[in-house]
Amino acid sequence: VLEGSFGNEKNHYHLNKIKARNQSTETCWIFFGILTANASIISKRMQQAAQIKSTAA
């Protein structure tokens, strides 16, 4: 499941265009992928919470 998640993130955030040339840059790009995915999820949740709050008021 986790390996599939990395593949989806690479495709969705266009990280597949970046080619790592050694172990340290590969690890760095994996972290960037996770960071980008988490930031996107947090942003969507914040927008949903703001919409719910504005409709409740």
Side-chain angles (χ1 to χ4, degrees):
V1 175
L2 190 58
E3 189 68 31
S5 174
F6 289 143
N8 290 338
E9 290 167 5
K10 281 180 68 173
N11 291 331
H12 186 72
Y13 299 110
H14 304 289
L15 296 175
N16 57 343
K17 295 181 180 184
I18 308 296
K19 304 296 183 199
R21 298 195 184 265
N22 58 39
Q23 182 67 34
S24 63
T25 56
E26 179 182 359
T27 303
C28 182
W29 283 111
I30 289 171
F31 287 136
F32 277 128
I34 294 169
L35 178 70
T36 304
N38 287 338
S40 177
I41 291 168
I42 291 168
S43 173
K44 287 177 186 177
R45 287 182 182 173
M46 289 175 67
Q47 287 176 350
Q48 289 173 350
Q51 287 177 350
I52 291 170
K53 188 176 181 180
S54 66
T55 57

